[in-house]
């Protein structure tokens, strides 16, 4: 998740977006007419911004009283599947889904009759929409079943 925060002239705002690519595309038309900030943004690619956010968690262009800030919002994923516990920190909803899938695969988990309820068995778009919706609304997502408990929550 990437938070875009801005003050451009008399306009201010904040928006949460799914990833750096979406944030870069969203911010590009926003900064039109604010040449120093637009130049700073266009000097970056989504890939270079992702590298900056991975190491610094934030990128800011500030000129006078105007600014554009992109902040990476991390997600902590914790799970227990059968007797196996684990955790990881990811930057996107796709990362949460991938971590859950890896966790189930690494434990060779099998509960007869429960496979359709497992989050790793759901269609990618559906589980990602569920995770994003819960994170956006509640700040956390949880999936529990007969022998698993998985939680994802924002770290900042």
């Amino acid at each position: 998740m990437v938070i875009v925060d801005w003050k451009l002239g008399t306009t201010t705002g904040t928006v949460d977006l799914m990833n750096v690519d979406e944030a870069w595309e969203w911010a590009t038309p926003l900064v039109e007419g604010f040449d120093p900030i637009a130049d700073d943004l266009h000097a970056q690619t989504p890939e270079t911004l992702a590298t900056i956010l991975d190491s610094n968690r934030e990128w800011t262009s500030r000129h006078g009283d105007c600014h554009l800030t992109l902040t990476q919002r991390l997600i902590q994923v914790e799970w227990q599947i059968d007797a196996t516990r684990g955790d990881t920190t990811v930057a996107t909803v796709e990362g949460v889904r991938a971590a859950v899938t890896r966790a189930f695969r690494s434990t060779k988990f099998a509960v007869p009759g429960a496979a359709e309820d497992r989050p790793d068995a759901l269609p990618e778009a559906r589980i990602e929409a569920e995770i994003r919706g819960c994170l956006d609304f509640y700040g956390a997502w949880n999936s529990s079943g007969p022998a698993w408990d998985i939680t994802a929550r924002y770290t900042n």
Side-chain angles (χ1 to χ4, degrees):
M1 301 290 220
V2 176
I3 301 166
V4 178
D5 179 70
W6 70 90
K7 179 180 184 305
L8 301 168
T10 59
T11 304
T12 62
T14 301
V15 65
D16 289 359
L17 297 166
M18 290 184 64
N19 55 47
V20 174
D21 291 317
E22 188 177 290
W24 192 86
E25 288 176 21
W26 194 89
T28 297
L30 178 71
V31 297
E32 284 182 18
F34 297 92
D35 293 339
I37 292 177
D39 292 345
D40 288 350
L41 179 63
H42 294 125
Q44 307 298 324
T45 65
E47 293 78 19
T48 58
L49 280 173
T51 300
I52 292 167
L53 292 178
D54 281 345
S55 60
N56 299 334
R57 303 288 177 247
E58 184 176 286
W59 174 86
T60 298
S61 174
R62 185 176 306 279
H63 293 276
D65 65 343
C66 295
H67 77 271
L68 174 69
T69 300
L70 277 61
T71 306
Q72 187 171 52
R73 194 168 193 192
L74 298 177
I75 305 165
Q76 177 72 31
V77 184
E78 299 171 339
W79 64 86
Q80 179 172 348
I81 302 172
D82 281 340
T84 304
R85 290 181 177 268
D87 65 84
T88 189
T89 302
V90 297
T92 65
V93 167
E94 294 90 343
V96 174
R97 182 198 41 78
V100 168
T101 299
R102 280 191 309 273
F104 274 102
R105 286 184 185 155
S106 71
T107 61
K108 309 223 182 307
F109 179 70
V111 173
E116 66 276 359
D117 297 330
R118 289 177 24 194
D120 65 314
L122 298 174
E124 286 182 11
R126 179 176 163 208
I127 191 62
E128 288 176 9
E130 178 183 315
I131 293 167
R132 181 176 173 88
C134 288
L135 286 170
D136 286 349
F137 191 75
Y138 302 110
W141 169 78
N142 179 264
S143 175
S144 298
W148 76 85
D149 186 37
I150 305 165
T151 301
R153 66 177 51 88
Y154 288 122
T155 63
N156 55 346

